[in-house]
Amino acid sequence: MNRPRRTPLANRADPAPGERALTQELPTRLSDWFDARGWQPRRHQLEMLEQARAGRHALLVATTGAGKTLAGFLPTLVELLEAPTPGLHTLYVSPLKALAVDIQRNLMAPIEEMGVDIRVETRTGDTPSDRKARQRIKPPQILLTTPESLSLLLSYPDSATMFAGLRTMVVDEVHAFATGKRGDLLSLCMARLQRIAPAMRRVALSATVADPDGYRAWLAPDGDIDEVALVKGEAGAEPNIAILLPDGRVPWMGHSGRYAAEQVMAEIETHKTTIVFCNTRSLAELIFQDLWKVNAMSLPIGVHHGSLAREARRKVEGAMADGRLRALVATASLDLGVDWGDVDCVIQMGAPKGSSRLLQRIGRANHRLDESSEAIVVPGNRFEYLEARAALDAVEAGELDPDIFRPGALDVLAQHVMACACAAPFAQADLLDEIRSALPYSALADETFDRVLGFIRDGGYSLKAYDRFKRLTQDPDGTWRVSHPRFVAQHRLNAGIIVEATMLDVRFNNGRNLGRVEESFAAQLSHGDTFFFAGLSLEVMKIDQIDLIVRATSRPARIPTYGGARMPLSTSLADRVRAYLATPSEWTRFPDDVREWLDFQSRRSQLPQPGQLLVETFPREGRNYMVAYSFEGWNAHQSLGMLITRRMETQGLKPLGFVANDYAIATYSIEKVTDPASLFNADILEHEFVDWVQQSHLLKRAFREVAVIGGLVERQHPGKKKTGRQVTFSTDLIYDVLRKYEPTHLLLEAAWADARARMTDVGRLAGLLDRAAETMLHVDLDRVTPLAVPVLTLIGRERVATGTADDALLIEAEALAAEAMRID
């Protein structure tokens, strides 16, 4: 039986006088619709209407369940009721396809109930081609889309006609992409739409914005925040968040919370509908299987993530909307905006890594302003318990993760310029002026824009001899146009910002396949590096297209763990965890075993103070260990581990490997580290970092992504899609040519920027190294310490056969813990 969906509107019978006056100004059909349900619009919804009537752009920051969607669309409904138009009136942009579909479903209910002729349609990568063609000729009044689909629409010559009457653009969940490459593309699209429809209003919605002025500047034409009104929603009920503790002790190891499958299933049994959030797709699959094994009541549960086929995703979304599922295991594919009224509990498996992310996910439960959202966090280990506690405290304090805006990416700019050229020839000065009205590109230099145009014109100095790269032509009058119609078709087939991750086959030279690893891991390897995989110690021979060629070796594995990039621990949560460690009075809030763990650490060694880098060294089983508690996140630690072990090699310390988690990095070697300061010297970023990036495939991988985004290499031809191997082969050939003959090429510059900022968290590395020089505290010990146990349990994770991994690691963790907690 279908359960009734909750509405984003909350009942409120007694509006304030100003609200009552505005409500009376609503069109009769709309006010009657409210009255029939005994509802009144909320203050911020009416304020958004007031800003619309004044013709102002607006940013709405309101908690989940406050009716942001209605606030964004209320002016549209009013205007279409007062002055119906057959053309496109409102464009809604979402970061997720699922959210666009959900918004369409929510909008259609009041439209149908009011009996008005307003068409609402979606346009995403899942939309059939015949519908897309019809939408360009006869668009709906409200079109729901994504940044990529909007960019493609703007590449058509008839886009100027289609968008000429556009009145409003609504950007939902703006925090999810404004600071990244998708936000760069969207800002450029907004600039183009503003030129086509000068009267267009820009509206952005979000529940988790730490820097409203930053987003107002991003939203505003020419970055003028005075043109954007800030509307704040009403405060809702405080969320009810709990940390789930195991029946026994908080684990020493792990990061997924899989130990709690039975406890999670018990929560599912006592709630109407539960969403179980996981931080990665692979973990979502594992948790789904774990829950099925303990699902004694055979309750209907599903799984949802971005790797699933469209049909599978739509089937699960439909089942949730109809109330036919008791639980859904999901990733970030569903943590933005999707409103399923029956969801009354959210469970986060593993630490959330940021307070903003936790708030977004909590908001999926109850989706009402007047009821507390119920959520449970399942920490994977003792450090993650502290992180979970930090996230709860941050939510209670209203502290959000910082928003970091940066200059727009050049590969994205190249893609947008090509889209503009596909629509119509352009004058260079006019397009540059338009581009500079988008905040990420407001400081774009004339010379840089010349380089972008030159790149699209012929590929650059090293590639200009090849016709396949001559996409633009400049006519004698200075106007730029597409060189041949085939380049228009090529652009529309291949445009997009999201480049799918590639997996590499791990093979011996004789062709025997051992399995697959993420390319993001393989990209960090160089010839001679060793790592554990499939129970073997393997040495890297070469990376051949998309094969990682290895040989078995008796040498110890330098890198015992592997995996793709993970969500980094936010700096604000890291600071809170540091504060807990330095404040014993806070420990009374922690479970006994966590409190005991910290107490033993303070007696055996030291606890790092805020801003301090604690480094411990100790021997164990014939090896010498160094553990640095830096709290800069797994990605930064993984990169630093590569650099430090190389420096240890040059110092004759004979490193055997390293491991890292979000909180610490641990190296182990034959010789003892006596001067850790020399390993953490800041010049490591000037020497070893550059050498490592150039020798590894990290830069080559980054180049592949910017080459695809920038349009240098196509993923698809008409009627045929390239394989990942073919794309890799094409980009690697071009990369080698450019590195040799044109090292200053625009895309190599863009690849360096990506490799430094996104793939290695180099900014956090620099901060860590600066802190090390000033605050390092080196403690030399005779054995392992309690604080080191969680990271050391990672060593050898891949050395054991799959079937015995959990048991072997548990035994190792217990041995480490017993040694660390031993009372002498």
Side-chain angles (χ1 to χ4, degrees), residues 185-432:
L185 182 66
L186 183 55
S187 68
L188 291 167
C189 290
M190 284 195 297
R192 168 123 294 213
L193 288 171
Q194 203 75 56
R195 293 298 171 96
I196 295 173
M200 180 190 78
R201 279 195 328 112
R202 306 182 183 191
V203 174
L205 315 173
S206 178
T208 50
V209 165
D211 178 14
D213 284 350
Y215 283 94
R216 289 169 68 198
W218 180 88
L219 185 64
D222 299 308
D224 185 357
I225 65 172
D226 292 334
E227 293 190 21
V228 180
L230 175 61
V231 179
K232 295 184 178 181
E234 304 165 52
E238 292 295 325
N240 178 17
I241 317 173
I243 299 177
L244 186 147
L245 297 176
D247 295 329
R249 298 170 67 83
V250 179
W252 288 95
M253 53 176 278
H255 66 276
S256 63
R258 293 182 64 191
Y259 65 84
E262 291 187 1
Q263 292 170 276
V264 170
M265 198 67 223
E267 294 292 338
I268 292 171
E269 292 170 358
T270 59
H271 288 87
K272 289 182 180 179
T273 310
T274 302
I275 298 182
V276 181
F277 278 113
C278 302
N279 290 340
T280 66
R281 297 174 183 182
S282 58
L283 178 58
E285 292 287 353
L286 289 172
I287 294 296
F288 177 70
Q289 295 298 327
D290 290 344
L291 293 178
W292 263 119
K293 292 175 184 176
V294 296
N295 187 7
M297 298 174 62
S298 298
L299 299 178
I301 62 176
V303 62
H304 188 290
H305 56 74
S307 293
L308 296 176
R310 176 182 62 186
E311 293 76 14
R313 285 186 277 112
R314 287 288 177 87
K315 182 178 180 181
V316 168
E317 291 163 15
M320 280 291 286
D322 293 340
R324 290 183 279 115
L325 289 182
R326 290 291 298 276
L328 181 61
V329 182
T331 61
S333 61
L334 288 184
D335 66 3
L336 295 173
V338 179
D339 173 22
W340 286 310
D342 281 333
V343 176
D344 58 348
C345 182
V346 163
I347 298 177
Q348 165 67 41
M349 302 302 295
K353 303 304 170 189
S355 57
S356 296
R357 180 177 296 110
L358 180 59
L359 267 177
Q360 281 291 334
R361 293 181 171 181
I362 291 171
R364 299 312 105 218
N366 277 337
H367 219 76
R368 291 178 61 98
L369 196 63
D370 54 349
E371 294 182 9
S372 294
S373 299
E374 183 175 348
I376 300 170
V377 181
V378 184
N381 58 52
R382 297 183 181 199
F383 263 124
E384 284 206 347
Y385 173 84
L386 297 180
E387 183 185 333
R389 184 72 262 166
L392 267 62
D393 288 353
V395 168
E396 183 177 351
E399 178 185 291
L400 301 176
D401 300 319
D403 303 308
I404 301 174
F405 292 86
R406 81 285 180 274
L410 297 180
D411 50 339
V412 177
L413 178 59
Q415 183 179 127
H416 176 72
V417 170
M418 188 64 191
C420 294
C422 290
F426 63 84
Q428 180 171 337
D430 291 343
L431 184 59
L432 178 57

Side-chain angles (χ1 to χ4, degrees), residues 503-519:
M503 299 291 290
L504 294 178
D505 290 324
V506 182
R507 298 181 184 274
F508 287 133
N509 254 329
N510 63 9
R512 179 187 168 195
N513 193 331
L514 298 176
R516 311 181 82 196
V517 297
E518 298 89 342
E519 187 192 27

Side-chain angles (χ1 to χ4, degrees), residues 502-693:
T502 302
M503 299 291 290
L504 294 178
D505 290 324
V506 182
R507 298 181 184 274
F508 287 133
N509 254 329
N510 63 9
R512 179 187 168 195
N513 193 331
L514 298 176
R516 311 181 82 196
V517 297
E518 298 89 342
E519 187 192 27
S520 56
F521 166 74
Q524 301 175 60
L525 301 176
S526 300
H527 176 79
D529 280 340
T530 54
F531 67 102
F532 279 118
F533 185 75
L536 300 171
S537 181
L538 303 174
E539 180 180 348
V540 177
M541 305 300 295
K542 62 179 178 178
I543 298 181
D544 180 13
Q545 296 184 29
I546 63 167
D547 289 338
L548 179 59
I549 309 299
V550 299
R551 69 180 180 186
T553 179
S554 58
R555 292 169 53 203
R558 172 74 60 84
I559 305 149
T561 61
Y562 67 91
R566 304 175 185 176
M567 293 178 179
L569 172 68
S570 72
T571 54
S572 57
L573 289 195
D575 289 343
R576 282 185 174 272
V577 172
R578 284 175 166 276
Y580 293 157
L581 297 180
T583 313
S585 60
E586 289 279 351
W587 301 356
T588 58
R589 300 193 294 154
F590 303 160
D592 291 344
D593 48 350
V594 174
R595 190 165 57 248
E596 179 189 37
W597 170 55
L598 299 180
D599 181 59
F600 263 73
Q601 173 68 22
S602 66
R603 285 190 276 162
R604 288 284 323 285
S605 175
Q606 296 279 340
L607 283 163
Q609 299 297 303
Q612 184 182 68
L613 178 64
L614 171 65
V615 178
E616 296 177 334
T617 53
F618 49 82
R620 187 173 191 269
E621 296 182 348
R623 296 175 173 178
N624 286 284
Y625 290 84
M626 177 184 71
V627 183
Y629 303 95
S630 41
F631 299 91
E632 296 298 345
W634 185 89
N635 294 335
H637 292 165
Q638 190 76 358
S639 300
L640 186 60
M642 296 281 190
L643 302 178
I644 284 181
T645 50
R646 280 168 167 75
R647 180 162 282 193
M648 291 174 70
E649 193 80 57
T650 62
Q651 292 186 7
L653 297 174
K654 301 176 184 177
L656 299 173
F658 77 92
V659 286
N661 57 21
D662 275 324
Y663 320 100
I665 177 174
T667 66
Y668 45 104
S669 56
I670 298 297
E671 303 296 333
K672 181 179 180 178
V673 174
T674 58
D675 182 20
S678 65
L679 298 175
F680 287 85
N681 193 293
D683 66 6
I684 200 170
L685 291 181
E686 299 176 14
H687 303 299
E688 282 89 343
F689 177 78
V690 174
D691 182 63
W692 166 51
V693 171

Side-chain angles (χ1 to χ4, degrees), residues 740-770:
K740 185 175 181 180
Y741 297 106
E742 195 178 354
T744 59
H745 191 277
L746 181 83
L747 290 192
L748 284 179
E749 179 182 317
W752 256 108
D754 272 12
R756 287 179 61 87
R758 179 166 60 88
M759 298 181 186
T760 63
D761 278 335
V762 71
R764 296 185 74 165
L765 281 184
L768 164 60
L769 296 174
D770 288 343

